[in-house]
């Protein structure tokens, strides 16, 4: 099949990950994470984030986000999120399930970002015992619409959280794309800005499977290894979940991969943003392009073999991964231009 941009999950495994998995496949290695690969991967995260964080590995983002939120909540607590948030729209109730019932409090706004006023409104609207007590705020970086929180925006959210006694969780399914977009260090975008827990996405960054959960306050990680085991996230051959991170982090591929996806998104956007009858639904700040177009144009793209999703606002979403071929991006732009003419 010709390369598609419907999702960055379509991409395969990047060379740096493939090579390290081949190395990890040699010999007899202790199970359940008691191995040198897992230790080295955790240390690689600590070096990258410039802090002594607690690091855990999970198979996928649903488990990573849900278990992280559960660790920050009691069952009677609530989690404040955007109405666009993946934990609200695409996790099949997993955050509620793993927390034994913590409720998601959704900011009903027309934008994917959360702002301090949204958080304050939900956290202070009630204080009686009949209302689930707010405990955590979760933000997605970049958002589900491809927009990136600035460092100042994250810090403002963190300050609001501290004032209200809330913890701050970051869903970083495309964390590398956000770092590349802002030109900042991982530390600057997380614990230095007040983030308590980060879920760092590996699957969309060049790995075949795997996410990392980083607790910047060790006390918050107490018992988290047991949560992972109970949830079926303790891999017996853990080195095949942890070693790929060594390939990404130590080589710098994590950032190169994110930057390449962002570059391809900008290339498409620059070709189509001024075409008559078309518009970009959201600012193109990471590796996503959302195109608002007449149905005839969208159907024409489908007839030409292009795959895309229209689940946010009815527009076509195109996502660009580490392996996006610039020539194929040009072909997509040519087809959109021809159909819009």
């Amino acid at each position: 099949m010709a390369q598609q941009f419907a999702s960055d999950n379509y991409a395969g495994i990047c060379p740096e990950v493939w090579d390290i998995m081949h190395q990890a496949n040699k010999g007899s290695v202790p199970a359940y994470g008691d191995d040198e690969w897992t230790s080295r991967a955790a240390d690689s995260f600590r070096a990258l984030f410039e802090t002594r964080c607690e690091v855990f590995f999970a198979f996928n983002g649903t488990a990573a986000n849900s278990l992280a939120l559960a660790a920050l909540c009691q069952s009677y607590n609530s989690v404040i999120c955007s109405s666009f948030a993946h934990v609200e729209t695409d996790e099949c109730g997993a955050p509620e399930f793993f927390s034994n019932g913590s409720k998601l409090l959704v900011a009903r706004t027309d934008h994917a970002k959360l702002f301090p006023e949204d958080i304050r409104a939900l956290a202070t609207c009630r204080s009686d015992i009949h209302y689930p007590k707010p405990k955590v705020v979760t933000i997605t970086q970049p958002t589900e619409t491809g927009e990136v929180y600035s460092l100042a925006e994250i810090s403002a959210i963190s300050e609001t959280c501290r004032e209200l006694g809330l913890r701050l969780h970051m869903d970083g399914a495309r964390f590398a794309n956000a770092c590349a977009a802002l030109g900042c260090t991982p530390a600057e975008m997380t614990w230095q800005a007040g983030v308590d827990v980060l879920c760092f996405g590996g699957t969309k960054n060049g790995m075949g499977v795997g996410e990392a959960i980083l607790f910047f306050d060790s006390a918050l990680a107490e018992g988290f290894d047991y949560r992972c085991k109970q949830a079926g996230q303790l891999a017996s051959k853990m080195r095949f979940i942890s070693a790929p991170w060594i390939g990404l982090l130590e080589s710098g591929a994590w950032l190169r991969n994110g930057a390449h996806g962002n570059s391809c998104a900008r290339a498409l956007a620059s070709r189509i943003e001024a075409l008559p009858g078309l518009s970009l639904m959201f600012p193109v700040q990471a590796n996503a392009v959302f195109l608002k177009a007449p149905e005839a144009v969208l159907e024409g793209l489908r007839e030409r073999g292009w795959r895309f999703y229209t689940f946010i606002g009815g527009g076509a979403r195109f996502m660009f991964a580490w392996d996006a071929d610039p020539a194929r991006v040009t072909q997509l732009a040519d087809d959109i231009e021809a159909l819009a003419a």
Side-chain angles (χ1 to χ4, degrees):
M1 181 178 71
Q3 187 177 59
Q4 295 288 338
F5 304 121
S7 172
D8 36 9
N9 288 327
Y10 279 36
I13 297 172
C14 71
E16 294 84 357
V17 168
W18 193 262
D19 289 346
I20 204 77
M21 288 188 70
H22 178 69
Q23 296 177 40
N25 193 43
K26 298 175 182 177
S28 178
V29 176
Y32 300 110
D34 186 24
D35 63 272
E36 61 183 89
W37 297 102
T38 301
S39 296
R40 180 175 161 188
D43 285 340
S44 295
F45 274 108
R46 294 174 186 127
L48 182 67
F49 282 82
E50 307 171 64
T51 190
R52 182 71 188 179
C53 53
E54 298 297 327
V55 184
F56 301 88
F57 301 100
F59 290 98
N60 58 34
T62 296
N65 285 323
S66 300
L67 292 173
L69 292 174
L72 300 175
C73 284
Q74 296 291 336
S75 59
Y76 55 81
N77 287 134
S78 54
V79 177
I80 294 172
C81 66
S82 163
S83 61
F84 288 75
H86 203 269
V87 294
E88 161 66 6
T89 63
D90 292 282
E91 305 286 27
C92 195
E96 297 92 332
F97 176 80
F98 283 111
S99 63
N100 291 318
S102 295
K103 183 178 177 60
L104 296 179
L105 295 181
V106 181
R108 299 298 178 184
T109 62
D110 59 359
H111 45 76
K113 284 185 177 181
L114 275 180
F115 294 99
E117 56 267 27
D118 303 323
I119 296 165
R120 190 179 302 280
L122 285 171
T124 62
C125 64
R126 286 176 63 176
S127 60
D128 60 275
I129 201 167
H130 303 283
Y131 192 69
K133 185 177 178 62
K135 185 67 174 179
V136 184
V137 171
T138 179
I139 59 174
T140 312
Q141 176 74 329
T143 70
E144 288 73 14
T145 57
E147 297 163 276
V148 176
Y149 285 94
S150 68
L151 298 184
E153 287 174 325
I154 298 171
S155 294
I157 288 172
S158 171
E159 290 172 9
T160 302
C161 289
R162 297 295 175 263
E163 177 189 338
L164 298 172
L166 306 172
R167 293 294 186 177
L168 180 56
H169 164 264
M170 178 179 284
D171 175 353
R174 299 180 177 92
F175 183 82
N177 300 93
C179 277
L182 291 178
C184 66
T185 68
E188 289 172 330
M189 200 163 69
T190 54
W191 63 272
Q192 291 181 2
V195 174
D196 293 301
V197 183
L198 166 70
C199 292
F200 192 137
T203 307
K204 294 177 173 64
N205 193 219
M207 288 170 53
V209 62
E211 314 290 302
I213 305 103
L214 280 62
F215 288 84
F216 300 109
D217 179 349
S218 296
L220 297 176
E222 183 178 355
F224 195 75
D225 49 348
Y226 286 87
R227 285 188 186 275
C228 290
K229 171 61 179 177
Q230 188 179 60
Q233 294 298 309
L234 178 62
S236 54
K237 296 185 179 181
M238 181 64 82
R239 67 190 186 277
F240 295 115
I241 302 295
S242 57
W245 285 106
I246 298 172
L248 278 181
L249 302 185
E250 293 187 2
S251 68
W254 71 278
L255 190 59
R256 292 194 299 271
N257 290 348
H260 177 72
N262 294 358
S263 175
C264 289
R266 290 193 300 270
L268 177 65
S270 67
R271 284 282 309 276
I272 66 175
E273 61 185 342
L275 294 176
L278 308 184
S279 61
L280 298 177
M281 297 173 63
F282 309 102
V284 176
Q285 298 175 344
N287 66 323
V289 174
F290 286 81
L291 174 65
K292 193 71 172 179
E295 184 57 37
V297 172
L298 300 184
E299 187 56 36
L301 288 172
R302 295 187 186 98
E303 291 173 356
R304 294 184 182 210
W306 292 104
R307 295 189 178 196
F308 50 86
Y309 294 109
T310 58
F311 60 91
I312 294 182
R317 186 194 76 164
F318 298 101
M319 301 295 306
F320 300 93
W322 69 270
D323 65 343
D325 181 357
R328 184 69 171 155
V329 177
T330 297
Q331 185 178 350
L332 173 59
D334 289 343
D335 284 348
I336 293 173
E337 192 174 67
L339 289 164

